[in-house]
Amino acid sequence: QVQLVESGGGLVQAGGSLRLSCAASGSASSNYVMGWFRQAPGKEREFAAAISRSGGISHYADSVKGRFTISRDNAKNTVYLQMNSLRSEDTAVYYCAARGLGIITTSGRWNYWGQGTQVTVSS
């Protein structure tokens, strides 16, 4: 079983950048596909990005493609989400998630979750 802790959220102006981190413990992160989801107030949790266990394959939601980059450092058991050209509609709580195999965009198919980190983009 793996525990996930996110960090790096905060308040940023539109057009700015933030980098989120997700530290894994309890089990090597290399055992898991890792992903980032987000949930805005009053909305369902939605997929943002995911990366394969080796880091060789990544997948993005259309809404973030070209602006967000997911990466991982398995030696540090950490996954990152670099967010550039932020927009007000990116405001949400961002959650790190892990699952054993396969990149899936449905949140219910992910097994482990962090507590979330708030990202607020002011216009």
Side-chain angles (χ1 to χ4, degrees):
Q1 188 161 345
V2 63
Q3 292 81 46
L4 305 172
V5 178
E6 302 96 334
S7 62
L11 174 64
V12 63
Q13 288 188 332
S17 299
L18 278 176
R19 187 176 82 156
L20 305 182
S21 299
C22 173
S25 62
S27 181
S29 63
S30 57
N31 292 329
Y32 301 92
V33 173
M34 301 296 293
W36 287 94
F37 288 75
R38 64 186 185 181
Q39 187 167 19
K43 295 188 176 181
E44 293 187 351
R45 192 170 298 187
E46 65 174 12
F47 171 80
I51 190 166
S52 63
R53 292 187 292 180
S54 68
I57 298 172
S58 57
H59 181 66
Y60 298 91
D62 288 343
S63 58
V64 308
K65 196 174 295 182
R67 300 187 299 121
F68 291 11
T69 302
I70 188 171
S71 62
R72 66 190 301 161
D73 185 338
N74 286 338
K76 295 182 178 180
N77 285 323
T78 303
V79 177
Y80 305 97
L81 186 67
Q82 177 68 43
M83 305 185 295
N84 299 328
S85 302
L86 283 161
R87 307 167 179 167
S88 57
E89 54 263 39
D90 295 317
T91 295
V93 177
Y94 283 71
Y95 296 91
C96 178
R99 68 188 312 272
L101 287 173
I103 291 178
I104 302 289
T105 61
T106 305
S107 61
R109 300 286 297 276
W110 291 73
N111 305 109
Y112 306 101
W113 293 87
Q115 83 289 349
T117 185
Q118 176 70 47
V119 172
T120 303
V121 183
S122 63
S123 57

